[in-house]
Amino acid sequence: MPPFNSLVIFLLCAASCSTLYLKSRVTFDLLTGFAISVNYLIGFTMRVLRWNCFIQIQVLIDFLPYQLLSADSKSIIKLMPFIEDGFFPGYAEVASNDSNNKVRTVRIDKSFGDYHVGVTFAPWAVSITFESQKSVGYHTLVTLLDHVLKLFNATFEQENIKGGRVSVVINDAYKSSPENEGRLYSKFFKLDSKPVEWMFRNVLVEQFKDEKIFNILSITKAPAVINVKGNIFEGDSILINVDNNTHPDNSDLRFSMRDSGFIKDLLNEALENIKDVKEL
C-alpha cells in the first residue's frame, strides 16, 4: 500500500493460521492479509488440502488517536461482548509503526460456518479479516461486518472511535490451469510466449465518493503453498490482490465505527475490482 502503515501479523495460535507461500516471492498470511517474510511457513502436522480457491478480505481502520487495547488480561475482560458471542481471545505480534520491533497485541477469532472472522487491535489500527474457501458475496460480508461492528461498539460503548484512514484489501487465490491462466495473461499482456511465472501490478489514484484513494491491483502467477489450519495445497496458483486505501493527504479522524457507510462502499468497490479481473 503506497505511503500506508505496514502492519505485519504473526499469529501465535498455530491452529488458526492460514498461509499462502509463493515460492521465491512473498508469503501472505491469509488470515490477516498482510505480507510477511519469505520462507515463513508454520511447522506443524500437515495434511493435503483439496483446494480450488481461497479468499481473504481485510478491513483496516488506521491512524487511531490512541491504542484501544493493551495486550493484558484487563483487555481480555473488556472484550466480553465478543467472548460471550463465541470469539476466542488470544495474542499476536505486529511490527511497530516506528521501528522493526514487534509489538504484542490482542486478537480474537471466530468461525461462522464456512467463514472465519478475526479482529486484531494493533496500537494504531483495528484490522477486521474474513476468510473462506468459497466465494464470498457482498451481502454476506456486510452481514458479518455489521455483526463485528455491533460487538465492537458494545465493547467501546462510551467512545466514538474514529480513524484517519481506511483500507480494504482482498487476496483471492485459486488453482492455476492452462485455460484460466491463459485468459488472464492475455488480458494484461500481449507477448506471444507466456512465461512460467509472471506478475502484473497497476496503481491508480482515483476520486471515490468524497475521498481520494489508491486503487492497487496485483496479479501473481507462481508455484505456491497454501496452508489452511495445517492442511496444505502445493502447486501453481494465481493470486489476485486488490488494495483500496484512502490517500494520506487527509488524515482527519473522520471514519467512525458507528457510521460504516464509506467502509461498506469501499468494500463493494474492491469486490467489483476482483470481479472485473475475473470477467474475461
Side-chain angles (χ1 to χ4, degrees):
M1 292 182 284
F4 203 84
N5 289 331
S6 174
L7 179 56
V8 183
I9 294 182
F10 297 85
L11 293 184
L12 303 183
C13 179
S16 64
C17 193
S18 306
T19 306
L20 169 59
Y21 170 33
L22 297 177
K23 292 182 178 177
S24 303
R25 293 189 182 277
V26 69
T27 306
F28 285 90
D29 182 334
L30 287 178
L31 194 59
T32 64
F34 300 105
I36 61 179
S37 59
V38 173
N39 296 330
Y40 171 77
L41 192 60
I42 296 297
F44 53 92
T45 303
M46 299 179 180
R47 298 181 296 278
V48 175
L49 172 68
R50 293 190 176 185
W51 176 85
N52 288 310
C53 68
F54 199 101
I55 187 166
Q56 178 276 328
I57 298 96
Q58 174 237 343
V59 177
L60 181 69
I61 315 298
D62 205 354
F63 284 90
L64 297 176
Y66 52 86
Q67 183 173 356
L68 299 182
L69 295 175
S70 56
D72 54 33
S73 58
K74 291 182 180 179
S75 294
I76 300 299
I77 294 172
K78 186 175 179 64
L79 288 168
M80 284 309 297
F82 283 98
I83 296 170
E84 290 174 350
D85 190 71
F87 278 80
F88 183 81
Y91 299 101
E93 289 186 350
V94 302
S96 170
N97 240 11
D98 303 320
S99 68
N100 292 324
N101 297 328
K102 300 298 186 296
V103 179
R104 195 174 189 229
T105 189
V106 176
R107 179 179 170 89
I108 50 177
D109 294 273
K110 180 181 177 180
S111 292
F112 293 81
D114 294 324
Y115 310 103
H116 186 95
V117 179
V119 184
T120 302
F121 296 87
W124 60 89
V126 174
S127 170
I128 305 170
T129 60
F130 311 91
E131 66 171 0
S132 178
Q133 287 179 250
K134 60 185 291 187
S135 297
V136 186
Y138 173 74
H139 294 293
T140 298
L141 283 172
V142 167
T143 298
L144 292 171
L145 179 60
D146 281 340
H147 185 72
V148 171
L149 293 179
K150 179 181 178 181
L151 296 172
F152 181 93
N153 290 323
T155 301
F156 300 95
E157 60 182 348
Q158 303 300 322
E159 305 169 71
N160 184 14
I161 308 298
K162 292 185 178 181
R165 293 186 71 185
V166 170
S167 75
V168 173
V169 181
I170 299 180
N171 287 311
D172 190 341
Y174 56 95
K175 289 170 64 175
S176 175
S177 69
E179 182 181 3
N180 63 32
E181 182 199 350
R183 289 200 306 266
L184 194 59
Y185 182 84
S186 62
K187 184 173 183 177
F188 296 99
F189 300 96
K190 301 302 180 184
L191 296 176
D192 293 331
S193 58
K194 184 176 60 180
V196 176
E197 299 181 19
W198 52 267
M199 181 176 182
F200 172 84
R201 178 176 168 85
N202 188 54
V203 180
L204 299 173
V205 177
E206 300 178 330
Q207 189 69 28
F208 180 75
K209 306 296 183 179
D210 295 328
E211 296 287 339
K212 185 162 65 171
I213 68 168
F214 287 107
N215 183 308
I216 305 167
L217 169 65
S218 299
I219 306 171
T220 303
K221 188 271 180 179
V225 174
I226 308 294
N227 177 351
V228 183
K229 300 179 182 178
N231 299 309
I232 300 298
F233 160 80
E234 184 171 4
D236 281 346
S237 172
I238 293 175
L239 173 67
I240 303 172
N241 171 268
V242 168
D243 179 353
N244 290 343
N245 64 86
T246 55
H247 201 280
D249 282 353
N250 184 358
S251 59
D252 292 343
L253 302 179
R254 62 203 185 279
F255 300 113
S256 172
M257 296 294 198
R258 300 186 186 279
D259 182 8
S260 58
F262 178 81
I263 299 172
K264 293 173 183 176
D265 288 341
L266 198 62
L267 173 60
N268 187 56
E269 177 72 5
L271 289 170
E272 288 297 317
N273 294 158
I274 291 286
K275 182 179 178 182
D276 290 342
V277 172
K278 288 187 168 182
E279 287 185 345
L280 304 172

